[in-house]
Amino acid sequence: MVSMLCYNPANFEIKPKRQRGCHMIGKTLTQVAENLVVTIEYTLIVGKEILDSSEDEGPLEYLHGYANIIPGLEKALLGMKVGESKNVVVAPEDGYGELEKDALMDVPRAEFPDDFPIEEGVELEIMDDDDNIVLVTIIEVGDETIKLDTNHPLAGKELNFEVKVTGIREATSEELDHGHVHMEGHSH
C-alpha cells in the first residue's frame, strides 16, 4: 500500500492513502481509483442512436467514487489507465433504473396552460412535493387528463458507452469535502 505524506506543523506523520488533503508519494496518477478526478471522452449509444458525446462539449471530469456518474460506468472505469479505451455496456439497473409502472401519473388537462403544446413525447419539468425539478414525458393525451411518465427517459434501457480515460489528477480537499469536481469559477 502506498502511503501518503501529510505535513502538519505540529508533527510529521505517515497516514493511510485515503486520508483527505494529503499528497501521494512515489505514485504517478495513471490509474482510475476512488477519490481521484478522472477525465474521460465518451460516446453514449442507445440502440443504434448516439444520444450524447463529449465530442461537442469536451471531455467530462468527475470525482471517482462519489456517484457523479451512473454506477455501471463508474464501476467499469475503476482500474483503467490514462490512454486506455473500452466499450462498456451498462444494464438498466446499473444505469437509470428499470421502468417503474407506478411512475405514471394522470394530470387534469385544465392544469396545463392553454398555449402549452400537449402532444405525446413532449418533455417538461415539474416540481415534486419536495420542490425538486423532475423531468417528465407526456405519454398519453386524453380529453380530460394527460398521462405523464416520471421515469428517467433512459430508464429500462441498455446503455452502450465508448469511453477513453484522458486524464487523472488528485482531487482537492474541497472537492472531496463537497463530493464533486470544481471547475474554474465554481463557487458554493
Side-chain angles (χ1 to χ4, degrees), residues 54-120:
S54 61
E55 193 171 291
D56 296 330
E57 301 292 322
L60 171 72
E61 276 191 321
Y62 75 96
L63 183 55
H64 196 85
Y66 284 75
N68 294 164
I69 61 175
I70 60 170
L73 181 58
E74 186 169 53
K75 182 178 177 183
L77 291 169
L78 183 64
M80 285 183 67
K81 296 180 178 169
V82 173
E84 187 176 352
S85 298
K86 72 161 70 166
N87 292 325
V88 177
V89 177
V90 177
E93 62 270 16
D94 293 324
Y96 293 97
E98 298 289 350
L99 280 173
E100 301 205 18
K101 301 221 185 286
D102 62 347
L104 305 178
M105 60 191 285
D106 290 320
V107 178
R109 189 178 194 117
E111 289 190 26
F112 287 85
D114 291 336
D115 61 343
F116 188 83
I118 301 175
E119 301 171 5
E120 288 183 19

Side-chain angles (χ1 to χ4, degrees), residues 10-61:
N11 63 356
F12 176 82
E13 47 187 318
I14 300 292
K15 293 187 177 180
K17 81 175 189 179
R18 288 186 183 251
Q19 180 71 26
R20 293 182 179 186
C22 300
H23 301 282
M24 287 192 171
I25 301 173
K27 182 175 180 184
T28 304
L29 300 177
T30 60
Q31 193 168 6
V32 175
E34 287 192 26
N35 300 325
L36 297 177
V37 174
V38 179
T39 305
I40 59 171
E41 293 174 350
Y42 70 93
T43 299
L44 168 60
I45 302 166
V46 176
K48 294 182 180 182
E49 184 180 356
I50 294 175
L51 294 187
D52 194 14
S53 174
S54 61
E55 193 171 291
D56 296 330
E57 301 292 322
L60 171 72
E61 276 191 321

